[in-house]
């Protein structure tokens, strides 16, 4: 294996593993603010206990997010030195701002939020919950603005040595790509937390313990779940694909499995990309829908992969096609599951419908899969570019780091993260087993 | 503009060493100071709510370094690939030691994380010291400004030195003893009774280590990098840093013996800050010195050839000041709400 492949594998592995945690942190931070708001508004300890219960899970989740996040910043330098030399003058801005404006805020107030409820009083505690929410969502913005510049570089110029430098701070910060991707991504984080909350609520109802908490979790999770699942598709998902169509037609063609430029292109619902014959086998498709969805015109021309030079095509088109279709299918499923559950809740049947509770219980991994698949589509779809149109991935790696050094660190990260994942699950299961009723007593020694 | 950012990045790194330094110090002496499980819980509770914020200084300094001197970030992070990778793992082990320990009430579980916390803290101190040693000694930069160092070669300072050689190990020991006494002063300041007495005694003993290793390091630097003192000879005003540093050292010797814990901690803070400032002063304008010496060329990375473009640096000043005002507010609030002594009986704090 060559260094390029290992560097890519390591970044892909560490970022995919890392993002499992922030997506729950960001979503839960919002849901905890909501629970805390009810607790104060209704002067009801029930909501306070619920908030404390979820704060415990947030605490464990946050730690794993922090420790897996630090290697991300380091890797820009360790594994992607040429890229850092090339683009550091631009994306260094947003990365440094993330540290200054988000990390400090989160880390300073998390301890106070988790353990300082008595000291702070209810209003103070509510404010720290809001600060954690703001901090985690700001962090998300800065990192998405960084990634957005790599997808859609703006506000830069070339220096004599071939590197790029910043010419417009506001263009970088308000990159249109970042705005739509941020909206889509944050709603995705809310979907994750809503499904996790519903899942644990369903568990309590199914095993008939902490039933009132179970009902609260399902209500709060379900209402945010319905809203966020729908916003996921429209307008944020729609906006995202319009952006891709406009700026990255190659990625669009790969996502949709469109090999040939077509007037009135069909929308492929399912199929198997055949890279030898350059076609989709076994395809189930809706005529002309892709043209309509992309340009609001059933006969519009959509460029296929054949319209572009071979050396500009991503190196793994089937992966892009599959992950995009997995994301879309799951997104549809989320709308179906949440709408159905909401209907049952409205009819006051949900809490007795064990089959529906079972569905909610086992659905929690799906938003994680959907979010990961979405990011795979976005980032593998960016290939062969590291910075779209400006720098190829193969040009960005560290020139002096050998394949064996990279393999050493990759194996280390995989081993540590597996153990970390097991410990995380173990600790969260313990919190769930202990239950929300006893969350009033904060951590004991 | 570049010089201003050199000062800013140095300031942020020094803040990291001072603040997270006492967390690391607590970790170094964690097993010495906590004879029982609840004493070790107490040791962790002295840093519980603040350690994460302290560690963010490393991330923020790293981000700022990336933004202001991208070439330095790229070159040094890829060149120090192996030690940095290990530092990352150590940071993970340390964070888990602090945060996972209290999650399960089981003595084997706690003992495991206690060990994880202390071993990772010890190694982090040594690695950070050795890293500074590498920057002072120089690295084999090539024409493009990149290099790669093995962990060690023969431990002698040959042109192909590794990350660890006798000099960088001395620097690692300087950091080890310095942070050990810094952490001991911190614990003495934050606790009472048995733990406090033990912390004072460790602070006293570790001072000898600081003194001996620092003298050894200064002698070693003078022999392997005679040009280290050039900046001082050119502008003698710079001697203010070593003088302040020495007075911090004297302050530690006096106050540790007189049991003035707060003043001893302030002294060790001054010592660390002044020594780092003195090092930054002598390195300037070089950020990373090339040990390769081809005729008529110097491949060293300097403040001038590594800095980002003027516009970005100008914009950065605006948000950096804004950010620092906020950060100062957070830290004042955080440390105020966490002020005072911590005792075995107070259980309300989760750590």
């Amino acid at each position: 294996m060559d260094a390029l492949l290992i560097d890519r594998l390591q970044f892909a592995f560490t970022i995919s593993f890392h993002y499992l945690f922030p997506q729950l942190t960001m979503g839960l931070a919002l849901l905890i603010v909501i629970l805390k708001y009810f607790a104060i508004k209704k002067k009801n300890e029930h909501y306070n206990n619920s908030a404390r219960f979820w704060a415990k899970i947030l605490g464990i989740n946050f730690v794993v997010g922090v420790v897996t996040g630090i290697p991300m910043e380091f890797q820009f330098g360790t594994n992607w030195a040429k890229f850092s030399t090339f683009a550091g003058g631009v994306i260094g801005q947003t990365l440094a701002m993330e540290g200054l404006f988000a990390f400090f805020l989160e880390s300073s107030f998390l301890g106070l939020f988790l353990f300082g409820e008595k000291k702070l009083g209810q209003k103070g505690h509510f404010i720290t919950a809001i600060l954690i929410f703001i901090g985690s969502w700001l962090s998300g913005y800065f990192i998405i603005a960084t990634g957005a510049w790599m997808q859609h570089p703006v506000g830069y110029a070339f220096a004599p040595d071939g590197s790029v430098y910043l010419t417009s701070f506001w263009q970088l910060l308000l990159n249109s790509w970042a705005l739509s991707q941020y909206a889509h991504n944050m709603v995705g984080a809310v979907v994750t937390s809503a499904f996790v909350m519903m899942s644990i609520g369903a568990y309590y109802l199914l095993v008939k313990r902490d039933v009132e908490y179970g009902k609260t979790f399902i209500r709060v999770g379900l209402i945010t779940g319905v809203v966020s699942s729908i916003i996921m598709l429209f307008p944020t998902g729609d906006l995202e694909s319009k952006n891709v169509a406009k700026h990255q037609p190659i990625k669009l063609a790969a996502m949709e499995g469109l090999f040939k430029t077509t007037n009135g292109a069909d929308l492929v619902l399912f199929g198997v990309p055949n890279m030898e014959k350059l076609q989709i086998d076994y395809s189930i498709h809706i005529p002309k829908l892709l043209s309509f969805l992309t340009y609001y015109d059933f006969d519009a021309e959509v460029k296929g992969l054949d319209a572009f030079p071979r050396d500009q095509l991503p190196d793994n088109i089937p992966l892009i096609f599959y992950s995009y279709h997995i994301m879309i299918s799951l997104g549809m499923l989320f709308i179906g599951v949440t709408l159905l559950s909401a209907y049952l809740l409205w009819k006051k049947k949900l809490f007795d419908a064990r089959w529906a509770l079972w569905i909610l219980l086992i659905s929690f991994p799906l938003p994680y899969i959907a979010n990961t698949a979405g990011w795979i589509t976005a980032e593998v779809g960016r290939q062969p570019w590291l910075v779209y149109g400006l720098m190829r991935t193969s040009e960005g790696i560290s020139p002096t780091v050998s394949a064996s050094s990279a393999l050493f660190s990759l194996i280390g990260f995989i081993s540590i993260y597996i153990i970390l994942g097991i410990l995380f699950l173990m600790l969260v299961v313990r919190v769930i087993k202990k239950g929300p009723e006893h969350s009033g007593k904060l951590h004991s020694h | 503009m570049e010089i201003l950012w050199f000062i800013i990045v140095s300031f942020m790194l020094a803040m990291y060493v001072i603040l997270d330094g006492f967390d690391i110090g607590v970790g170094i002496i964690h097993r010495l100071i906590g004879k029982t499980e609840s004493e070790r819980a107490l040791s962790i509770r002295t840093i519980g709510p603040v350690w994460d914020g302290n560690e963010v200084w490393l991330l923020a300094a790293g981000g700022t370094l990336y933004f202001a001197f991208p070439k330095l970030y790229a070159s040094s992070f890829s060149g120090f690939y192996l030690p940095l990778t290990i530092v990352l793992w150590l940071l993970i082990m340390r964070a888990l030691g602090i945060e996972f320990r209290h999650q399960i009430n089981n003595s084997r579980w706690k003992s495991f994380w206690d060990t994880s916390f202390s071993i990772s803290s010890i190694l982090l101190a040594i690695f950070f010291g050795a890293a500074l040693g590498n920057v002072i000694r120089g690295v084999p930069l090539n024409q493009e400004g990149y290099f790669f160092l093995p962990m060690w070669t023969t431990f002698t300072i040959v042109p192909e030195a590794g990350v660890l050689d006798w000099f960088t190990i001395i620097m690692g020991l300087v950091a080890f003893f310095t942070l050990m006494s810094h952490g001991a002063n911190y614990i003495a300041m934050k606790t009472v009774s048995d733990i406090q007495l033990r912390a004072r005694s460790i602070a006293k003993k570790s001072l000898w280590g600081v003194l001996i290793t620092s003298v050894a390091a200064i002698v070693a630097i003078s022999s392997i990098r005679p040009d280290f003192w050039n900046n001082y000879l050119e502008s003698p005003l710079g001697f203010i840093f070593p003088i302040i540093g020495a007075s911090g050292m004297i302050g530690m010797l006096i106050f540790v013996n007189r049991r003035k814990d707060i003043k001893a901690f302030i002294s060790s803070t001054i010592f660390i800050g002044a020594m780092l400032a003195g090092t930054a002063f002598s390195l300037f304008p070089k950020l990373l010195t090339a040990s390769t010496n081809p005729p008529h060329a110097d491949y060293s990375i300097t403040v001038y050839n590594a800095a980002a473009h003027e516009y970005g640096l100008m914009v950065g000043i605006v948000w950096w000041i804004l950010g620092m005002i906020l950060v100062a507010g957070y830290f004042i609030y955080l440390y105020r709400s966490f002020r005072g002594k911590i005792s075995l009986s107070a259980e309300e704090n989760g750590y």
Side-chain angles (χ1 to χ4, degrees), chain A residues 195 229-230 330-343:
Chain A
F195 270 79
S229 298
I230 292 171
L330 287 174
M332 295 297 176
L333 186 72
F334 299 154
I335 294 176
V337 167
T338 52
L339 278 180
L340 178 69
S341 307
Y343 173 77

Side-chain angles (χ1 to χ4, degrees), chain A residues 67-120:
Chain A
V67 300
T68 55
I70 301 170
M72 301 323 305
E73 185 184 290
F74 273 51
Q75 278 181 84
F76 283 111
T78 51
N79 296 67
W80 300 92
K82 285 261 180 178
F83 162 68
S84 291
T85 304
F86 174 74
V90 178
I91 62 167
Q93 292 268 348
T94 39
L95 281 178
M97 288 176 80
E98 184 188 25
L100 234 59
F101 291 102
F103 292 157
F104 274 121
L105 181 61
E106 287 177 284
S107 62
S108 303
F109 289 98
L110 188 75
L112 283 170
F113 169 68
L114 291 180
F115 305 115
E117 187 176 343
K118 267 187 209 157
K119 219 181 246 177
L120 293 162

Side-chain angles (χ1 to χ4, degrees), chain B residues 69-258:
Chain B
F69 303 105
K71 273 169 210 151
L72 173 67
Y73 190 85
S75 169
S76 58
F77 275 54
S78 60
F80 294 129
Y81 190 88
L82 298 174
L84 281 177
T85 301
I86 294 169
V87 162
L88 283 172
W89 299 341
L90 292 172
L91 287 172
I92 294 175
M93 294 310 288
R94 179 181 76 138
L96 298 185
I98 299 170
E99 295 292 339
F100 277 9
R101 182 188 189 279
H102 65 89
Q103 297 279 351
I104 297 179
N105 205 356
N106 169 298
S107 53
R108 245 183 240 164
W109 170 270
K110 291 191 171 181
S111 176
F112 174 79
W113 291 116
D114 281 331
T115 309
S116 164
F117 175 47
S118 48
I119 291 179
S120 53
S121 299
I122 291 167
L123 291 176
L124 277 173
I126 294 173
F127 267 89
F128 285 142
L132 186 62
N134 274 274
V135 172
I136 293 172
R137 181 203 58 203
V139 293
L141 287 161
N142 65 22
Q143 199 171 353
E144 284 193 292
Y146 294 103
F147 68 100
F148 185 86
L149 280 187
M151 281 303 286
W152 58 76
T153 49
T154 56
F155 293 97
T156 53
I157 303 178
V158 289
E160 291 85 30
V163 171
L164 297 175
D165 59 33
W166 63 262
F167 170 65
T168 60
I169 289 174
I170 289 178
M171 291 299 290
L173 292 175
V174 173
F176 172 79
F177 286 114
T178 305
L179 297 184
M180 187 178 193
S181 66
H182 193 45
N185 286 333
Y186 178 77
I187 288 201
M189 187 174 77
K190 292 294 285 184
T191 57
V192 289
S193 69
D194 289 355
I195 289 197
Q196 189 183 32
L197 294 177
R198 265 176 242 145
R200 282 179 187 155
S201 128
I202 292 171
K204 215 182 277 183
K205 285 176 197 154
S206 57
L207 267 186
W208 290 107
V210 180
L211 209 56
I212 294 166
T213 52
S214 299
V215 170
I218 291 171
V219 172
I221 289 172
S222 306
S223 82
I224 62 167
R225 283 288 308 276
D227 58 336
F228 188 81
W229 306 105
N230 285 359
N231 281 354
Y232 287 99
L233 299 176
E234 272 172 35
S235 41
L237 200 63
F239 277 110
I240 192 149
F241 298 120
I243 290 168
I244 295 174
S247 59
M249 185 72 189
I250 294 165
M252 277 196 280
L253 286 166
I254 295 171
F255 295 125
V256 165
N257 278 311
R258 290 192 188 164

